[in-house]
Amino acid sequence: MKKLGSDGEYRRSCGEYLCDGEKLLNEAVSCGVGITAVFTCGRKPDGLPDSVPVYRVERDILEAVSPLKTPQDFVFSCAMPEQAGKAPEGFLIILEGLQDPGNIGTILRTAGAFGVACVILTGGCADPYNPKAIRASMGAIYRQPFLIMDRDGIAGLKERGVRLYAAAVDENCTDVRDAELNNAAVAIGSEGRGLTEELLKLCDEKIKIPMLENTESLNAAAAAAIIMWEATKKLIQSAAQ
């Protein structure tokens, strides 16, 4: 259990990941997630299927297993779902090379709020099953579709007719408010390096978020939130017409 929280390679080899806290446990139960084991130093959690093993442990064991300095009364493991064969239809966000798992989790949470069809991770992004990403997702890890995809897979999106945009800060970029975001995917790179040339070459067009002059680029999670809101707003306006 401890290794699930600290070792991404071990998580992938086991096909399981670690979560912490009663709120996340309740979310996992309500979403029908495959919970594989629960450690608790208190009561048995409500609504848990009888088939899930529950281990009552002392507080020091819970503290040793949990990735948190001050864990709650529950630490539990879940089975990773099988990855879908292809991205679903609808608006997509592509994240390339984002190294902060907190940003990954925040973007998954925001994507879930705005009904984004899928979040695509590429170029060595942080592990979405890292405990920091899971906490930042606030339960969206159980609901929001996401895929880990290589560059060939992203190129395959174009073959399906998906228009690819690159979020950039160049002067010759289309304002995101003017972009056609139906059946589209927007790629966002890390704050430090941006998007790679290889991914930029796949994109049909560059878009930008209008900001005041002499302003630094936005945090990736903030930029993704604005772009996802614009895409959702356009879909709402289109449905109302």
Side-chain angles (χ1 to χ4, degrees):
M1 290 284 276
K2 183 176 178 63
K3 204 168 180 182
L4 286 177
S6 61
D7 190 329
E9 186 174 341
Y10 183 74
R11 282 193 290 273
R12 289 186 290 275
S13 68
C14 293
E16 296 180 60
Y17 59 100
L18 192 73
C19 303
D20 190 293
E22 185 172 10
K23 180 175 173 54
L24 278 178
L25 181 56
N26 290 337
E27 287 274 359
V29 170
S30 67
C31 292
V33 173
I35 300 169
T36 54
V38 178
F39 280 16
T40 178
C41 60
R43 58 178 174 78
K44 182 178 178 179
D46 299 329
L48 197 68
D50 293 336
S51 59
V52 178
V54 178
Y55 302 94
R56 287 185 172 85
V57 298
E58 298 297 327
R59 169 63 64 176
D60 59 342
I61 298 296
L62 208 66
E63 290 175 350
V65 169
S66 173
L68 297 178
K69 288 184 179 179
T70 309
Q72 299 182 36
D73 288 344
F74 300 99
V75 174
F76 61 102
S77 55
C78 299
M80 294 180 185
E82 289 189 18
Q83 180 158 299
K86 66 175 185 177
E89 300 289 334
F91 179 71
L92 311 171
I93 281 286
I94 300 171
L95 307 177
E96 185 188 38
L98 269 63
Q99 296 300 300
D100 183 351
N103 272 346
I104 299 291
T106 298
I107 292 169
L108 289 174
R109 181 183 180 185
T110 309
F114 290 144
V116 173
C118 189
V119 175
I120 295 171
L121 310 175
T122 191
C125 281
D127 184 359
Y129 293 112
N130 180 294
K132 185 177 178 182
I134 292 169
R135 290 195 299 275
S137 81
M138 295 295 288
I141 189 74
Y142 309 133
R143 302 183 301 271
Q144 172 59 41
F146 66 90
L147 288 172
I148 298 170
M149 189 177 286
D150 59 20
R151 201 161 289 120
D152 289 341
I154 293 171
L157 294 174
K158 294 187 68 173
E159 296 174 6
R160 287 171 42 190
V162 177
R163 186 167 182 80
L164 298 185
Y165 290 96
V169 292
D170 299 350
E171 296 223 351
N172 57 341
C173 292
T174 300
D175 188 313
V176 66
R177 295 170 295 182
D178 299 324
E180 178 53 65
L181 296 179
N182 288 331
N183 194 33
V186 177
I188 298 172
S190 65
E191 294 95 328
R193 297 185 299 275
L195 294 168
T196 62
E197 285 298 321
E198 291 81 5
L199 186 50
L200 282 170
K201 288 177 182 177
L202 286 176
C203 292
D204 301 293
E205 192 174 343
K206 293 180 181 179
I207 60 172
K208 67 178 179 180
I209 297 169
M211 297 185 294
L212 296 177
E213 293 183 7
N214 302 318
T215 304
E216 289 289 334
S217 61
L218 292 172
N219 166 277
I226 293 170
I227 290 167
M228 288 187 279
W229 162 240
E230 281 295 328
T232 301
K233 184 171 66 174
K234 290 176 187 294
L235 287 173
I236 292 171
Q237 291 170 343
S238 176
Q241 292 175 353

